[in-house]
Amino acid sequence: MTRIRRSSTVLAAVLGVVLVLTGCSEIPRNSPVQTIALDGGGSDTEGNVQFNLPGPSDGAAPQEIVEGFIGAGIDAQDDYKTAREFLGPQQAGVWNGSTRTLVYDARPSVIAGAKANSYTVQMELVSEIDAAGIMTEMPPHTTRAVDVTLKKVEGQWRISSVPDGIMVDSASLSHVFAPQTLYFYDVSYHYAVPDVRWFPTRTGVAAAMVDALLAGPAPYLENAAVSAFPTGSSLVRPAVPIESQRATIDLTSATFLDSTELTRQQMRQQLELTLGGLGNVRSVAMTDEQSEVKAGPKDAEFVAAEINPSVPDTQVGILDKALYYLKGRSLRLVGGIHDISGYNPQLPAMSPLGNRYAFLNGDRTKLVTVDEDGQDSVVATGNDLVRPSMDAHGWTWTVDNSSPARVLAVPEDPALSGKVRPITAAALAEATVSSLRISRDGSRALIVSTLDGDTSVTISGILRDADGAPRGFAPAKRIYPEVPATQAVWNSDVSIIVSSSSATEKITAQEISLTGTSVNYMPLLGMVGLSAGPGERRPVYAETKEYIYSRVGNSWHVMEEMVRDLSYPG
């Protein structure tokens, strides 16, 4: 996900994209400003933006050739045809523009190199997109250098050496690339796990999406989200024809070699969920090297996977040392449980399925769970425990911030699954974790941690056994909020909300989507808590020491009910 630094004025400017590439002060800038206009109606028959880009001008200087090549990166049509015009014949034949995309902020500097006819393009990098559409966001002020060499071809300067890939400025990114969501499954195949990728807005995006889907999930979801397609599955040819809103996916026979009716139905559903986001696909047909793969009757074990599964719209909180429900403006005591006041309970959690609860004691040294029968039990101990999170597989999570820190997971039924289980998380061992929340699909952990003064917000896939028992984390995907963060919650399956906490200062929460947008909420004086949950019309709540607030539009509205430590199920 790229950090969004856009406004409505930027959008207007992008529609007549102007790229001005400035060098350092030692290099004169004689080339004219290049204006890139939309071609004709502005888009092709599929709605893709078309650019009318000039190729190299006759007699252009080496630096102008480099600048023109950079500017041509916004046009992906015909396999970056315009960009190739700035390359020498040999380089044009081997250069691959789709290998990577460097997304830069501000204006690159084109600097003369130490060797003759060599230049270095220096830029402040915002993110990098690889050939599979996986975007890696970079820390603020990350710089990158790209070396370019030129030589004369029939009297004209052309690029003879340049790394594969293109360079695109962040303001133009949304007109060059579009986020598309691939879908995999959680280990139970009940939930669709999103994997947001970025693909050029050009003909053939459906094939690019299917290729990426068949290759498997992004690294932060690897072995955490699963695919119905076996390793080695591939398209017969790099094309997915779409006619009358029906996409035909022709796969190699190896794809179906050991398949069952159930796995074929799961494959078809995975394709439908993924390609359905394009807008021009309503159904899919799978073929085995052009032979139709017929759909049989629904297998008894087939489950229609849920996208962005919602949580109940009832929250749990603490009032008078007891658990209370808050639904809208209705507040009532959670019945059927034993007296828990002796724990001085705080920071409760509620299971998204069934009637189970968890909370911490007053000094945050004990994790207490309440089972379906209302029986409370101390299930884990530690120092400075993190607010519990309860997943759809029946596990309750917290972090013990002893040294080293340990992620702890407690099963719903210790008699069957054993007692508290430490989860391998080497990257967090020396850190202090302030927030951990499990996604509604149970496949991802949203974590806020601090190490050596550096606070990070990350999403990591949860590695589980076949029975759903957690055993570790995939490599983390880091997110860079614009606001300080000590807590983070899921707002949907592809968006989160982060904020810090202070009883005396104004706090700004930021909603961040993995599809590349973000919204800063109105600051709230003294914000110490934040709650949100996936689902239609689930309000966002914040709390101070004195009041509870609900978010309406972009404003905070105070509520009469006073309950603290609110949390949606999960």
Side-chain angles (χ1 to χ4, degrees):
M1 180 186 63
T2 186
R3 295 184 295 280
I4 301 300
R5 300 184 178 92
R6 302 189 182 96
S7 67
S8 58
T9 56
V10 170
L11 180 61
V14 169
L15 292 177
V17 183
V18 179
L19 299 180
V20 184
L21 302 177
T22 60
C24 64
S25 57
E26 291 82 5
I27 297 179
R29 310 296 299 165
N30 298 321
S31 57
V33 174
Q34 182 182 27
T35 301
I36 301 171
L38 297 177
D39 178 26
S43 61
D44 62 15
T45 56
E46 296 183 5
N48 300 319
V49 175
Q50 296 289 287
F51 297 96
N52 183 20
L53 296 181
S57 58
D58 188 54
Q63 190 168 317
E64 293 175 309
I65 294 296
V66 176
E67 293 169 353
F69 172 76
I70 296 171
I74 68 171
D75 188 358
Q77 295 301 316
D78 298 323
D79 194 20
Y80 298 98
K81 177 180 179 293
T82 303
R84 290 180 190 278
E85 293 178 11
F86 292 87
L87 307 178
Q90 184 176 354
Q91 183 68 15
V94 298
W95 176 77
N96 187 347
S98 300
T99 297
R100 70 171 183 180
T101 299
L102 302 179
V103 183
Y104 60 83
D105 198 21
R107 298 168 180 172
S109 297
V110 181
I111 304 171
K115 296 182 180 180
N117 306 324
S118 68
Y119 290 84
T120 296
V121 181
Q122 292 185 342
M123 69 193 83
E124 185 170 311
L125 201 63
V126 176
S127 58
E128 182 172 340
I129 304 171
D130 71 9
I134 299 171
M135 177 182 282
T136 301
E137 191 176 358
M138 301 298 171
H141 310 302
T142 296
T143 58
R144 181 73 61 88
V146 176
D147 293 326
V148 182
T149 304
L150 297 92
K151 69 178 181 180
K152 281 192 172 182
V153 178
E154 297 180 354
Q156 302 292 326
W157 286 107
R158 294 293 182 264
I159 295 172
S160 59
S161 175
V162 65
D164 287 338
I166 61 170
M167 293 164 267
V168 175
D169 77 289
S170 57
S172 301
L173 183 66
S174 63
H175 292 271
V176 184
F177 281 75
Q180 306 289 351
T181 304
L182 313 183
Y183 282 100
F184 297 91
Y185 294 104
D186 78 305
V187 293
S188 71
Y189 283 82
H190 283 69
Y191 302 109
V193 180
D195 183 353
V196 177
R197 305 288 183 94
W198 292 75
F199 297 100
T201 52
R202 62 180 177 185
T203 303
V205 66
M209 291 171 65
V210 173
D211 267 336
L213 182 73
L214 298 178
Y220 81 101
L221 295 174
E222 191 171 1
N223 297 319
V226 299
S227 177
F229 292 93
T231 302
S233 300
S234 63
L235 288 166
V236 173
R237 58 189 58 81
V240 173
I242 301 171
E243 296 182 6
S244 301
Q245 297 188 309
R246 183 176 180 84
T248 300
I249 296 92
D250 190 25
L251 299 159
T252 58
S253 292
T255 305
F256 305 101
L257 188 60
D258 297 315
S259 68
T260 64
E261 186 61 45
L262 174 61
T263 57
R264 289 191 293 272
Q265 290 170 6
Q266 290 168 336
M267 289 177 191
R268 182 176 289 105
Q269 177 177 241
Q270 203 172 341
L271 290 168
E272 289 173 344
L273 294 176
T274 296
L275 295 180
L278 289 175
N280 62 340
V281 176
R282 300 292 292 274
S283 63
V284 303
M286 289 193 305
T287 55
D288 178 351
E289 300 193 4
Q290 298 189 348
S291 296
E292 182 181 2
V293 179
K294 295 183 179 179
K298 285 289 176 63
D299 187 280
E301 296 183 20
F302 177 81
V303 175
E306 289 187 68
I307 294 179
N308 191 29
S310 63
V311 297
D313 61 356
T314 299
Q315 297 189 85
V316 66
I318 300 292
L319 179 62
D320 298 329
K321 297 184 179 182
L323 296 181
Y324 273 76
Y325 292 129
L326 178 67
K327 182 175 182 179
R329 293 186 173 273
S330 174
L331 187 65
R332 65 183 177 89
L333 180 69
V334 175
I337 65 175
H338 298 172
D339 180 12
I340 59 172
S341 60
Y343 293 109
N344 189 18
Q346 62 172 308
L347 301 173
M350 179 166 53
S351 173
L353 304 171
N355 296 309
R356 297 184 301 109
Y357 311 89
F359 58 86
L360 303 181
N361 67 332
D363 59 8
R364 294 171 63 171
T365 58
K366 296 177 181 179
L367 171 64
V368 184
T369 59
V370 180
D371 63 21
E372 296 276 359
D373 297 323
Q375 179 66 48
D376 57 271
S377 303
V378 176
V379 294
T381 59
N383 293 316
D384 192 23
L385 294 176
V386 169
R387 180 176 204 148
S389 181
M390 306 181 79
D391 71 29
H393 296 276
W395 292 78
T396 301
W397 298 70
T398 188
V399 178
D400 171 17
N401 276 304
S402 300
S403 183
R406 301 183 304 153
V407 178
L408 306 177
V410 180
E412 178 179 358
D413 188 348
L416 292 177
S417 306
K419 296 183 179 180
V420 61
R421 177 177 300 196
I423 306 302
T424 302
L428 300 175
E430 303 302 321
T432 299
V433 178
S434 57
S435 180
L436 179 150
R437 305 296 291 177
I438 308 302
S439 62
R440 179 67 174 85
D441 53 54
S443 297
R444 297 162 291 163
L446 172 62
I447 300 173
V448 182
S449 61
T450 302
L451 177 63
D452 297 332
D454 178 32
T455 297
S456 62
V457 178
T458 60
I459 298 175
S460 293
I462 300 171
L463 310 181
R464 296 182 186 264
D465 297 333
D467 62 359
R471 56 182 177 83
F473 296 102
K477 173 185 178 66
R478 186 164 178 178
I479 294 169
Y480 294 89
E482 296 174 355
V483 301
T486 58
Q487 58 186 332
V489 294
W490 292 97
N491 186 55
S492 75
D493 62 347
V494 293
S495 66
I496 64 173
I497 304 173
V498 302
S499 78
S500 58
S501 173
S502 172
T504 58
E505 298 179 1
K506 285 186 176 182
I507 300 298
T508 300
Q510 184 182 18
E511 181 182 317
I512 303 171
S513 172
L514 300 182
T515 61
T517 60
S518 68
V519 176
N520 285 3
Y521 293 174
M522 179 178 290
L524 181 63
L525 180 64
M527 183 193 295
V528 295
L530 182 70
S531 64
E536 294 294 327
R537 294 182 294 278
R538 296 287 183 270
V540 176
Y541 288 82
E543 58 187 278
T544 64
K545 292 292 186 182
E546 295 81 19
Y547 300 106
I548 297 294
Y549 295 81
S550 64
R551 185 170 181 264
V552 179
N554 196 38
S555 301
W556 296 107
H557 286 229
V558 68
M559 298 178 61
E560 296 178 0
E561 295 76 11
M562 186 54 215
V563 61
R564 62 182 177 86
D565 294 351
L566 283 174
S567 176
Y568 280 96

